[in-house]
Amino acid sequence: QVQLVESGGGLVQPGGSLRLSCAASGSIFSINVMGWYRQAPGKERELVATITSGDITNYADSVKGRFTISRANAKNMVYLQMTSLKPEDTSVYYCKLSSNRRDYWGQGTQVTVSS
């Protein structure tokens, strides 16, 4: 089994920054994709960014140029640096790990962008 634990969410003013972290533990294959997704109230969960074990990244158009995903393989960690935050970025952010044809999700961390 794989466990994912997110941290780093909170309340931030528009234009501010936050850094989310996700720690993975358990039986993790070296070849995997980790990513961040978000879900706002009344909306479907959507992709924010993904990164492969080979450091290939992919971003939603809405966050390109503002968010940066990175990972530390030796620590089984993935990060999401968020800058120039907007009120529409307010969501619960979830960490996901995909490996060996299975998906694992964290419990989510709330990010609220408001003045």
Side-chain angles (χ1 to χ4, degrees), residues 24-79:
S25 61
S27 300
I28 301 169
F29 287 88
S30 59
I31 299 174
N32 58 66
V33 179
M34 297 190 76
W36 291 95
Y37 292 72
R38 65 187 182 187
Q39 186 168 20
K43 294 187 177 182
E44 293 187 354
R45 192 171 296 188
E46 63 177 7
L47 178 146
V48 176
T50 61
I51 184 167
T52 70
S53 47
D55 287 336
I56 297 172
T57 59
N58 179 52
Y59 294 92
D61 288 342
S62 59
V63 306
K64 282 181 181 177
R66 300 189 299 122
F67 292 9
T68 302
I69 190 170
S70 61
R71 62 189 290 167
N73 289 333
K75 298 180 180 180
N76 289 325
M77 298 285 295
V78 65
Y79 308 97

Side-chain angles (χ1 to χ4, degrees), residues 4-5 9 13 19 29 35 40 45-46 54-55 57 62 66 69 75 79 82 84-85 90 94 96 98-99 106 113-114:
L4 302 172
V5 178
Q13 292 187 343
R19 187 192 194 211
F29 287 88
R45 192 171 296 188
E46 63 177 7
D55 287 336
T57 59
S62 59
R66 300 189 299 122
I69 190 170
K75 298 180 180 180
Y79 308 97
M82 304 185 293
S84 302
L85 282 160
T90 296
Y94 297 90
K96 177 184 176 183
S98 299
S99 180
V113 184
S114 175

